[in-house]
Amino acid sequence: NAGVTQTPKFRVLKTGQSMTLLCAQDMNHEYMYWYRQDPGMGLRLIHYSVGEGTTAKGEVPDGYNVSRLKKQNFLLGLESAAPSQTSVYFCASSSGQLNQPQHFGDGTRLSIL
Amino acid sequence: GQNIDQPTEMTATEGAIVQINCTYQTSGFNGLFWYQQHAGEAPTFLSYNVLDGLEEKGRFSSFLSRSKGYSYLLLKELQMKDSASYLCAVRDPGGFKTIFGAGTRLFVKA
């Protein structure tokens, strides 16, 4: 029972490089989310999706793009990485029912030099 | 918009009881969650409240007062493994998103 799987777990990039973070869930959840977590700031929502083929902006979307081509996958892209994007990125999924919590992946630790 | 406040850090002694408070200001409300997050790990679900009152789950209980915009997480019989961050989160009125507080880091000492 894998739950939510994020790849890679760690990555170091140079300023201006691009990369894609992968998130996969095997719980048949409708909703998926990408957060970043920085010291003292808690989890901040980057983008989210309420179903296959749909995406929406969260609290801090600038510099990121997402795609949800398949229900089980949610991809987060950094087109031109900046040092301010150094963070821990968490993917989460939920069924969408109001009383159901989000299930989180183990996180991706990303450093931009 | 939504705003969630919780203390930054707390320290408690093994075997004791600790209460972690959370206040929120929202334009609507669809439930409040508490998550536990150990250092370097993912958040994990602890409790959910949507109606006023106390929900008990073993050593952990969570309380909600919607009229006061207030919740607390009560941890009893503290153990060293309870040292973690505790995140208060409110589901937004639309139901699609959950807004997280910055978290309270709890240190349990022997």
Side-chain angles (χ1 to χ4, degrees):
Chain A
N1 190 7
V4 179
T5 303
Q6 290 183 232
T7 53
K9 296 191 184 307
F10 303 94
R11 186 72 184 268
V12 178
L13 289 178
K14 295 181 179 179
T15 298
Q17 287 185 315
S18 63
M19 78 163 294
T20 301
L21 279 64
L22 312 180
C23 178
Q25 52 96 4
D26 62 1
M27 295 171 283
N28 200 35
H29 283 168
E30 289 293 335
Y31 293 8
M32 295 188 75
Y33 309 84
W34 275 107
Y35 294 92
R36 60 178 290 173
Q37 187 173 40
D38 302 292
M41 301 192 73
L43 288 162
R44 291 185 292 167
L45 184 64
I46 303 171
H47 286 280
Y48 65 101
S49 168
V50 299
E52 180 179 317
T54 73
T55 64
K57 293 180 180 180
E59 183 185 358
V60 288
D62 294 342
Y64 305 95
N65 57 75
V66 288
S67 65
R68 184 113 181 256
L69 299 179
K70 293 183 178 181
K71 185 178 183 178
Q72 63 267 35
N73 297 334
F74 196 30
L75 309 182
L76 177 71
L78 284 73
E79 294 177 343
S80 179
S84 61
Q85 294 177 305
T86 293
S87 188
V88 180
Y89 291 84
F90 285 101
C91 176
S93 71
S94 72
S95 68
Q97 292 179 291
L98 292 179
N99 65 342
Q100 294 301 304
Q102 295 182 20
H103 298 259
F104 287 84
D106 288 337
T108 296
R109 284 146 187 82
L110 185 61
S111 293
I112 317 295
L113 304 179
Chain B
Q2 317 243 45
N3 188 47
I4 299 173
D5 291 309
Q6 39 181 146
T8 303
E9 289 185 359
M10 299 182 70
T11 300
T13 304
E14 192 176 19
I17 300 173
V18 69
Q19 177 174 312
I20 302 174
N21 296 324
C22 170
T23 58
Y24 61 90
Q25 298 85 40
T26 65
S27 56
F29 181 81
N30 262 324
L32 186 145
F33 295 85
W34 284 96
Y35 290 82
Q36 181 190 58
Q37 185 178 24
H38 285 101
E41 297 183 9
T44 56
F45 169 70
L46 286 178
S47 68
Y48 171 74
N49 295 71
V50 67
L51 300 176
D52 290 353
L54 190 68
E55 295 282 342
E56 297 187 78
K57 270 189 181 183
R59 295 191 298 114
F60 292 8
S61 302
S62 57
F63 172 84
L64 176 67
S65 168
R66 289 172 297 170
S67 62
K68 295 181 179 178
Y70 168 69
S71 173
Y72 67 72
L73 181 69
L74 193 71
L75 291 73
K76 304 175 187 175
E77 301 170 10
L78 279 173
Q79 302 175 9
M80 299 300 287
K81 67 179 182 180
D82 297 329
S83 292
S85 289
Y86 292 86
L87 313 180
C88 175
V90 175
R91 192 182 284 279
D92 82 334
F96 297 136
K97 298 180 288 184
T98 301
I99 309 301
F100 285 82
T104 298
R105 281 198 298 173
L106 175 66
F107 299 94
V108 180
K109 59 182 182 179

